[in-house]
């Protein structure tokens, strides 16, 4: 892309141009396009437009902020951190030993009260803190080919170090993500009656249908030197293993929730709920925290005041700016397009810098 | 440079060979010393408008007619002593031409340098087989194309990788192929490289295809070549060195050949070299007398030509020829070059000596020199800053990663998301030690953040310049009807420099004046024939000769009074004087009338061609001719009139002519003439004095042999010739002007006085340098260029301007009468000087504004993406995961955001042509670097960081602790950033045409489509993410909030700045929009003359 292009088309001793070719006029054809005169709109930031814009932003943002804040406030959320409490006091100095031991009792019972009426479905989440599901080594450690079809079973190159068992047979599903599948379980009961938690339809339909094969069954899973998490029922195809599918939609941020299940019934205010937690998952080795979350939902999603506050702030700020600009305009207006303001007119000598 | 590139064609009538070798140097100086005040003015650029406006005025008043008289100054004849030796005895007989006599004469030819055998090529005349058997001379097929079908791919790719930018791409792509560093997939990582390579390759392929096509046409042209003693048509590409070729009138020469004979019994051939050096006048070439009468068809012509190796000097040739045992030396007047056309000569026969790519025309066929724009130089500095940013970001990431690794050192083996230990193999997996990990992290972060260095910017800039050039070339306001030439962009690298010119250096003669002169008024014997009488419309004046009407090609104003007087020459004394005057004008020149047929068979057209005298056209016998030269500053011709009287006519500059006037002349006449002279020159007319004396036969014999014919003049006339100079000096209302001449410059340049001259000159509005040599011109340009950071522009039309054009930051060539040398050396070429106004004030301003904005925008656009990636890295344990899909991040600068910036860079206009011409002061924006400077760069970078923070952290906080997955959040971020950068551009676009709307909104829509398509691919991790996330309100609220929050500061600052501290451009824009273009008194510069029909 040197200047050759231009040179060849315009300059250079053009050999053999005969007289006849010279007489053809090279006058460029007039068109509004080539003369750069296409009809155009030329917006200018006049005070009117700018103030109107900010007022408009304020008018749009403040109601949205109010609405989303209101929606967020209506969401009832019960968050319960249990990773510390569920370790018996004798192990508090060595939590790791507790969690890694196969003989310790991992069961842990907690009670809590529903603060407000929770309309079903009530979503049950587990929340992990300080768990980097977005770590480079971790996100890459999976084989989508293998998950999708039986034929791809041996496509395990990305899965190391959790690709094969000691005797080189492939692990299905392979990779660190599957290996570290969350394996705490929750059993809910209210007034000694078991609260049913539905584990169906917690994963994306699209994943179940296209990413996880119905002919792929777990194989050699969690049989290696280190157990990372949950075991899978080898007789259920991956497309039905919804906990795995949810887990394998890796979280974007180091603090994340994953859907555990849904309680389809409404929970009334002051209901006493008992949860029996099987505290199996090892977050103690890296200081991760575990929480159990029960939450209703709204159009805004879960409980999150941030967006509402942000919208109110921005809307308010824009209104403030609009008022400020109005005041500025009233105090110090400038006639638009007055040639008297041109630098050479302001400076009678006509000398520019 | 003078010695490397001779600039003018030496006259064929060079007498001795000594001159031949000194020609280059001599000629460089020649033109400027030739009595034509070659001025050379530097002025501050608030003035070009003033200058050109006044020039414009005079240009408009003078139509494009060209006076015969102008041609005297075109005497490009070489050397000093070109007087014709004619003995008195020749009088009445056929005049003898002395073309190659000098070189012929024995005494001189021995002094000629021998060509050593190693440096020579031997050509056996009419024996191409023998000629070509020993040495592989090039065939006559030319190849200007670079590639063939097979070599295209490797060769083109090899050439492309000469650019540092592409190597950067390549290194990044190669790094990414290492398994330890594989940030992106194999296919994705080569995408940007493949994209730019293929775009460039397609462009090159198209250009090469066009060259192939023109080569094919060229190679398949037909010439008649002697085969088996018969001239037969043969394709050009089959012609070989040594063959004898016959050229007919108006045919183009297929190769460089030595003339053997021509249709003219004296062996003259006229050639037009317009394709070679652009000079449209005819040049004479000579066949040797020894070969003149050989008929190649009948007798077998043999001989040996020993000539120098092919070189690119089109004005030099050095050879000798052995024919019939005689050894003849050949010079540049004996060779005719490929690309020339034979004119006024029925046929010419020659032997091919250089063919194909070895011809001088092809050797000269090189591109324009490349310059780098000032903006780009500044930009490269900022790119270094960006590289430092990049390194800083990578260092931060590496340092954090190091801290993280050290903190978690003990846990790494079992950490669920790290799992260093491979239990199936009992060794570490993909882990060496902390040092290596950090090193890899650093390299990986370079790969991830690679677009911080906006490589795509270089490609965008080239495309934008191409587009800008397209519009400059297409501008109807810069098309010259007279020469049928469009504006030419020869250099594509410096479009934007046109908007920042501070000093304009202009060659005066030819450039400002177009070298078009008109006969205006005359004073003959102290009688002034001028004034209102001659102000009549030009009519085609015609003469009837032998039943045929002959009229000049160009209509000339005729003064009926003068016409009458000259027709009654024998009646009155006055008539006699007038007649003599016109006789002098008609004889005392070197003009060839070319008679051409018109549609009406009885009417013939006469086109006067300078140079190459053809005395046959005159009734009178030219007995001697002393060409114009710079020492004598006059030209004389001796005529034998039909009445057997001998007259000498002299024509020249007043200074030289008054010295030789007959002292006995009537003092009144002399005074009257002098006062007329003074009047004429005060009017800005160029003057010329013509004199005549009758000679007795003996006197003639005696004097004419001398160099200087000094004699008294009886008749004295003064010509006033309009010289369209007006321009730089008188017309502009300038308080101070400096005039300096070449002789003084000799002492100033390259001495400590330079500094003083510079200081003095910078205090003046106009500096006029007269009589300067080409190298002095370059010296003046360098004087300014080296002492200021401001941009310089040199404009000129002649070969003597080449050095100045190349020296200046921007060189503009006028494709006028004086040949192509200036055009070939220039960056931009145009038909007329006045196009400089739209070029600088309009296109230059636009180009600068567009390019400056585009560079800043590209920096911003890429940096905002990099910062978003960077912020995310801080939340991934510093491991360079990208939430944004790798395809999207690669397509970001290729599809999502590239087109709008290119289109805006080509089409956006901050002000209309009308306003820019109305207020030339607006051009100052470029001189003050208003569109691209360090302050703007840093402001942009601060804005970039704010915008990236808004885009990144609003979704982050909204989704913190939620069940959002990495792909969905990535989709949100990429959409937000694409919308943001496109809206950012939208806020800054000044003129919204439908194309702007199409590309900006189209890019946003295209991004949505691409993101959707990518998420519809089941094998990618983000399968169907966009469909899930787009169903939630939070997604759209985040999108809206992050874009608005990102834009608010910029919007506020832009408004406050534009409203409360408006720059000139802003006020003019407002005035344009609100129709407030009030007249503002005398400060404004009158520019209306250049304003074409209503344009916005």
């Amino acid at each position: 892309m040197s200047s050759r292009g231009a040179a060849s088309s315009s300059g250079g001793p053009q050999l053999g141009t005969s007289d006849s070719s010279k007489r053809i006029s090279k006058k460029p054809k007039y068109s509004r396009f080539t003369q750069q005169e296409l009809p155009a709109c030329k917006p200018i930031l006049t005070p009117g437009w700018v103030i109107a814009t900010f007022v408009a932003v304020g008018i749009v943002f403040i109601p949205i902020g109010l609405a989303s804040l209101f929606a967020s406030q209506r969401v009832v959320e019960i968050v319960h951190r249990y990773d510390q409490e569920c370790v018996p006091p004798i192990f508090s100095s060595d939590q790791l030993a507790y969690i890694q031991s196969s003989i310790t009792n991992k069961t842990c019972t907690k009670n809590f009260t529903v603060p407000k009426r929770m309309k079903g479905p009530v979503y049950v989440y587990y929340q992990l803190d300080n768990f980097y599901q977005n770590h480079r080594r971790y996100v890459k450690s999976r084989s989508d080919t293998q998950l999708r079809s039986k034929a791809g079973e041996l496509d395990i190159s990305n899965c190391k170090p959790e690709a094969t068992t000691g005797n080189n047979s492939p692990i299905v599903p392979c990779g660190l993500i599957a290996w570290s599948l969350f394996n705490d379980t929750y059993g809910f009961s209210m007034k000694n009656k078991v609260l049913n938690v539905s584990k169906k339809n917690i994963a994306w339909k699209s994943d179940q249908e296209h990413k996880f094969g119905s002919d792929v069954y777990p194989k050699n899973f969690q049989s290696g030197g280190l157990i990372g998490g949950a075991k899978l029922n080898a007789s259920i195809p991956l497309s039905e293993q919804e906990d795995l599918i949810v887990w394998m939609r890796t979280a974007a941020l180091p603090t994340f929730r994953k859907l555990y299940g849904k309680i389809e019934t409404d929970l009334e205010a002051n209901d006493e709920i008992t949860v029996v937690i099987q505290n199996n998952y090892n977050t103690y080795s890296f200081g991760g925290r575990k929480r159990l979350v029960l939450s209703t939902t709204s159009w805004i999603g879960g409980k999150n005041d941030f967006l509402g506050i942000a919208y109110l702030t921005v809307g308010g700020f824009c209104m403030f700016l609009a008022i400020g600009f109005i005041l500025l305009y009233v105090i110090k207006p400038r006639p638009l397009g007055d040639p008297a303001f041109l630098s050479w007119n302001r400076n009678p000598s006509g000398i520019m810098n | 440079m003078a010695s490397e590139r001779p600039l003018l064609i030496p006259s064929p009538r060079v007498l001795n060979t000594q001159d031949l070798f000194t020609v280059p140097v001599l000629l460089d100086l020649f033109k400027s010393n030739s009595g034509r005040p070659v001025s050379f003015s530097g002025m501050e650029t608030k003035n070009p408008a003033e200058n050109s406006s006044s020039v414009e005025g005079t240009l408009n008043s003078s139509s494009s007619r060209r006076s015969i008289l102008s041609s005297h100054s075109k005497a490009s004849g070489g050397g000093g002593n070109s007087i014709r030796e004619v003995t008195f005895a020749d009088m009445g007989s056929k005049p003898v031409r002395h073309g190659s006599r000098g070189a012929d004469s024995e005494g001189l030819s021995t002094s000629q340098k021998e060509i050593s055998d190693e440096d020579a090529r031997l050509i056996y005349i009419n024996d191409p087989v023998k000629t070509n058997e020993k040495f592989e001379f090039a065939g006559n097929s030319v190849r200007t194309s670079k590639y063939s079908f097979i070599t295209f791919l490797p060769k083109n790719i090899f050439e492309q990788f000469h650019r540092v930018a592409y190597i950067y791409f390549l290194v990044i792509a190669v790094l990414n192929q290492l398994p330890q560093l594989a940030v992106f997939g194999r296919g994705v990582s080569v995408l940007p490289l493949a994209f730019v390579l293929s775009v460039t390759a397609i462009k090159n392929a198209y250009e090469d295809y066009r060259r192939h096509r023109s080569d094919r046409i060229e190679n398949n042209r037909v010439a008649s070549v002697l085969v088996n003693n018969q001239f037969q048509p043969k394709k050009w590409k089959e012609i070989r060195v040594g063959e004898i070729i016959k050229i007919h009138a108006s045919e183009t020469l297929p190769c460089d050949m030595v003339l053997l004979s021509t249709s003219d019994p004296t062996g003259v051939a006229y050639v037009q070299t317009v394709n070679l050096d652009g000079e449209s006048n005819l040049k004479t070439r000579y066949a040797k007398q020894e070969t003149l009468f050989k008929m190649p068809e009948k007798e077998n012509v043999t001989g040996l030509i020993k000539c120098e190796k092919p070189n690119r000097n089109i004005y030099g040739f050095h050879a000798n020829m052995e024919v019939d045992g005689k050894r003849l030396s050949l010079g540049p007047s004996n060779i005719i070059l490929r690309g020339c056309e034979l004119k006024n000569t029925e046929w010419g026969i020659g032997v091919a000596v250089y063919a194909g790519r070895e011809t001088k025309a092809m050797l000269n066929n090189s591109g324009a020199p490349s310059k780098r724009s000032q903006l780009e130089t500044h930009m490269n500095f900022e790119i270094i800053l960006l590289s430092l940013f990049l390194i800083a970001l990578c260092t931060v990431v590496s340092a954090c990663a190091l801290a993280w690794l050290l903190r978690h050192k003990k846990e790494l083996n079992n950490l669920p998301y790290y799992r260093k230990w491979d239990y199936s193999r009992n060794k570490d997996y993909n882990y060496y030690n902390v040092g290596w990990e950090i090193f890899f992290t650093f390299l990986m972060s370079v790969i991830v953040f690679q677009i911080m260095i906006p490589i795509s910017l270089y490609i965008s800039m080239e495309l934008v310049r191409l587009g800008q050039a397209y519009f400059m070339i297409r501008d109807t306001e810069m098309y010259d009807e007279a020469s049928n030439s469009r504006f030419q962009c020869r250099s594509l690298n410096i479009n934007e420099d046109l908007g920042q010119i501070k000093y304009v250096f202009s060659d005066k003669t030819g450039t400002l004046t177009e070298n078009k002169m008109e006969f205006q008024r005359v004073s003959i014997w102290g009688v002034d024939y001028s004034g209102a009488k001659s102000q009549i419309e030009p009519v085609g004046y015609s003469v009837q000769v032998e039943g045929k009407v002959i009229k000049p090609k160009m209509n000339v104003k005729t003064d009926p009074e003068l016409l009458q007087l000259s027709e009654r020459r024998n009646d009155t004394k006055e008539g006699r004087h007038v007649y003599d005057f016109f006789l002098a004008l008609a004889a005392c020149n070197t003009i060839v009338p070319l008679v051409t047929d018109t549609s009406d068979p009885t009417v013939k057209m006469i086109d006067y061609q300078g140079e190459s005298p053809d005395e046959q056209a005159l009734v009178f016998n030219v007995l001697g001719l002393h060409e114009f030269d710079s020492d004598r500053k006059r030209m004389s011709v001796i005529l034998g009139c039909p009445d057997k009287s001998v007259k000498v006519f002299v024509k020249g500059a007043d200074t030289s002519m008054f010295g030789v006037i007959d002292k006995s002349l009537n003092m009144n006449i002399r005074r009257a003439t002098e006062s007329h002279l003074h009047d004429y020159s005060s009017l800005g007319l160029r003057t010329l004095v013509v004199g005549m004396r009758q000679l007795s036969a003996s006197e003639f014999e005696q004097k004419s042999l001398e160099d200087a014919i000094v004699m008294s003049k009886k008749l004295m006339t003064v010509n006033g010739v309009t010289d369209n100079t007006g321009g730089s000096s008188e017309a502009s209302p300038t308080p101070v002007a400096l005039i300096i001449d070449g002789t003084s410059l000799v002492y100033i340049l390259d001495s400590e006085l330079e500094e003083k001259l510079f200081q003095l000159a910078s205090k003046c509005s106009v500096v006029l340098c007269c009589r300067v040599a080409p190298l002095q011109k370059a010296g003046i340009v360098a004087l300014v260029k080296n002492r200021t950071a401001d941009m310089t522009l040199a404009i000129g039309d002649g070969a003597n301007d080449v050095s100045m054009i190349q020296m200046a930051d921007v060189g503009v060539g006028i494709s006028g009468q004086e040949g192509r040398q200036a055009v070939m050396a220039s960056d931009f070429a145009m038909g007329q000087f006045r196009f400089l106004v739209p070029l600088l004030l309009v296109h230059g301003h636009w180009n600068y504004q567009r390019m400056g904005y585009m560079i800043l925008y590209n920096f911003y656009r890429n940096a905002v993406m990099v910062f978003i990636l960077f912020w995310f890295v801080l939340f991934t344990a510093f491991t360079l995961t990208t939430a944004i899909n790798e395809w999207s991040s690669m397509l970001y600068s290729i599809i999502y955001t590239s087109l709008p910036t290119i289109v805006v860079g080509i089409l956006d206009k901050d002000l209309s042509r009308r306003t820019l011409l109305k207020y030339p002061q607006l051009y100052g924006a470029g001189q003050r670097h208003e569109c691209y400077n360090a302050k703007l760069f840093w402001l942009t970078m601060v804005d970039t960081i704010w915008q990236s923070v808004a885009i990144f952290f609003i979704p982050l906080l909204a989704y913190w602790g939620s069940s959002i997955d990495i792909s969905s959040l990535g989709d949100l971020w990429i959409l937000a950033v694409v919308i943001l950068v496109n809206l950012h551009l939208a806020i800054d676009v000044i003129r919204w045409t439908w194309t702007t709307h199409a590309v900006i909104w189209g890019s946003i829509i295209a991004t949505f489509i691409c993101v959707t398509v990518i998420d519809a691919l089941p094998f990618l991790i983000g399968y169907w993410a966009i469909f899930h996330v787009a169903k939630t309100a939070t997604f759209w609220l985040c999108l809206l909030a992050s874009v608005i929050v990102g834009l608010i500061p910029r919007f506020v600052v832009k408004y406050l700045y534009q409203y409360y501290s408006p720059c000139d451009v802003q006020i003019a824009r407002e005035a344009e929009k609100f129709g407030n273009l009030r007249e503002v008194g005398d400060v404004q510069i009158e520019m209306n003359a250049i304003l074409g029909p209503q344009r916005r």
Side-chain angles (χ1 to χ4, degrees), chain B residues 571-719:
Chain B
D571 305 350
T572 59
K573 201 179 172 194
E574 204 183 5
R576 174 103 214 135
H577 292 319
V578 172
Y579 176 77
D580 280 341
F581 165 69
F582 282 111
L583 182 61
L585 287 190
C588 198
N589 61 45
T590 54
I591 290 170
V592 187
L594 272 184
V595 181
T596 47
D597 292 323
T598 58
S599 47
D600 182 358
T602 56
V603 180
K604 300 262 184 189
M605 208 65 123
I606 293 193
D607 189 5
Y608 295 99
Q609 290 273 359
E611 184 59 54
S612 323
D614 189 351
E615 293 84 356
Q616 317 299 333
L618 296 170
V619 196
F620 305 97
N621 287 316
V622 176
L623 304 173
L625 183 123
H626 194 144
E627 276 195 12
F628 188 89
D629 72 55
S630 47
D631 297 331
R632 292 173 63 243
K633 297 200 176 97
R634 56 183 184 267
M635 170 184 184
S636 11
V637 65
I638 302 168
L639 287 189
C641 296
D643 59 3
K644 293 285 173 204
S645 67
V646 178
K647 284 177 182 168
V648 122
F649 291 99
V650 187
K651 173 179 85 172
D654 47 5
T655 46
S656 71
M657 292 293 287
F658 277 103
V660 294
I661 289 170
D662 188 353
K663 296 289 180 294
S664 63
L665 196 68
N666 186 337
M667 279 311 277
N668 289 336
I669 294 172
R670 189 182 164 137
R671 280 212 199 91
T673 309
E674 267 171 6
S675 80
H676 286 151
L677 252 178
H678 186 255
D679 291 349
Y680 291 174
S681 47
S682 337
L683 284 171
L685 300 177
R686 180 181 277 201
T687 56
L688 199 60
V689 181
V690 177
M692 184 209 80
R693 188 188 170 180
Q694 203 141 14
L695 291 179
S696 64
S698 57
E699 226 176 340
F700 169 67
E701 195 167 11
Q702 181 190 1
K703 298 279 186 185
S704 63
L705 293 172
E706 301 285 317
D707 171 32
I709 307 177
V710 183
M711 50 191 68
S712 57
K713 304 291 178 296
K714 279 184 180 167
L715 181 84
M716 195 164 66
T717 55
V718 178
N719 273 326

Side-chain angles (χ1 to χ4, degrees), chain B residues 1016-1054:
Chain B
L1017 302 173
F1019 53 86
L1020 293 178
I1021 167 177
Y1023 179 64
W1024 227 244
I1026 185 75
F1027 298 98
H1028 284 280
V1029 78
K1031 279 189 285 192
T1032 66
T1034 317
F1035 172 80
W1036 297 103
L1037 290 181
C1038 283
L1039 203 59
L1040 179 67
S1042 52
V1043 170
I1044 298 286
V1045 171
L1047 288 175
I1048 284 177
R1050 181 175 182 84
F1051 196 70
V1052 169
V1053 170
K1054 191 179 165 87

Side-chain angles (χ1 to χ4, degrees), chain B residues 244-265:
Chain B
I244 290 181
I245 300 160
K246 186 171 186 177
I247 304 294
H248 299 276
S250 296
E251 276 183 359
T252 309
L253 289 153
C255 57
D256 295 355
M257 51 197 238
V258 166
L259 262 184
L260 294 178
S261 58
T262 71
S263 55
D264 187 288

Side-chain angles (χ1 to χ4, degrees), chain A residues 1 26 32 136 304 343, chain B residues 462 486 880 958 1064 1096:
Chain A
M1 285 202 198
K26 286 196 238 157
R32 300 191 81 166
R136 164 160 295 280
N304 189 341
S343 63
Chain B
E462 276 181 14
R486 289 183 184 186
L880 299 157
D1064 294 337
R1096 279 162 306 130

Side-chain angles (χ1 to χ4, degrees), chain A residues 338-342 344-345, chain B residues 918-919 1076-1084:
Chain A
D338 187 349
F341 282 87
L342 291 166
W344 59 92
N345 292 340
Chain B
K918 189 178 171 77
Y919 300 111
N1076 216 353
L1077 282 165
R1078 274 184 281 143
E1079 295 305 314
V1080 280
D1082 49 351
V1083 198
Q1084 190 189 319

Side-chain angles (χ1 to χ4, degrees), chain B residues 8 30 119 136 210 263 485 494 522 681 735 773 795 835 980 1023:
Chain B
L8 280 171
F30 167 71
D119 296 336
E136 277 305 309
R210 284 179 34 170
S263 55
S485 57
I494 53 171
V522 64
S681 47
I795 179 166
F835 297 159
L980 176 79
Y1023 179 64

Side-chain angles (χ1 to χ4, degrees), chain A residues 177-301:
Chain A
I177 308 181
W179 171 77
S180 61
L181 177 60
F182 187 74
N183 58 353
D184 285 5
T185 57
Y186 312 115
F188 292 88
S189 58
M190 193 169 67
K191 298 166 190 161
N192 293 327
K193 230 175 79 189
V194 172
L195 259 180
N196 206 19
V197 177
S198 160
K199 303 276 280 179
K200 279 283 164 208
N201 296 327
I202 56 171
W204 290 3
K205 277 277 159 299
S206 55
D207 279 351
Q208 282 183 287
E209 281 162 17
H210 296 111
K211 281 197 86 76
F212 291 82
S214 52
D215 61 341
V216 185
Y217 292 87
K219 211 164 139 189
N220 302 324
F221 190 63
Q222 299 289 23
S223 60
L226 186 70
I227 308 298
K231 297 199 158 96
L232 293 175
N233 185 341
S235 60
I236 302 176
L238 291 189
S239 59
E240 303 299 320
Q241 307 266 11
E242 294 201 36
D243 277 330
L244 177 76
I245 298 173
V246 168
W247 181 253
M248 290 198 73
R249 275 253 148 231
T250 48
L253 302 166
T255 296
F256 61 91
R257 289 175 185 177
K258 295 257 172 218
L259 190 56
Y260 178 80
K262 287 182 264 184
I263 300 172
E264 301 288 353
T265 54
D266 296 354
L267 299 178
E268 299 302 326
N270 301 321
D271 276 353
E272 284 283 330
I273 294 177
T274 309
V275 196
V276 179
I277 300 166
Q278 290 298 322
N279 183 17
N280 298 321
Y281 199 68
N282 178 9
T283 55
Y284 303 96
S285 61
F286 55 91
R289 288 176 289 275
K290 294 192 281 191
R291 286 182 173 90
L292 171 65
V293 179
L294 274 81
S295 173
T296 59
T297 187
S298 71
W299 64 271
I300 192 91

Side-chain angles (χ1 to χ4, degrees), chain B residues 788-842:
Chain B
T788 67
D790 300 322
M791 301 293 289
T792 53
L793 176 144
I795 179 166
D797 68 333
N800 59 340
D801 304 318
V802 167
S803 51
M804 140 173 119
I805 284 173
Q806 283 174 336
M807 172 63 75
D809 295 306
V810 178
V812 179
I814 306 269
S815 38
Q817 319 287 326
E818 291 209 37
R820 290 195 70 86
Q821 293 286 348
V823 172
M824 297 288 287
S826 68
D827 304 305
F828 302 96
M830 51 197 191
Q832 286 185 28
F833 181 78
R834 67 186 168 95
F835 297 159
L836 196 60
V837 175
L839 178 65
L840 294 186
L841 296 191
V842 180

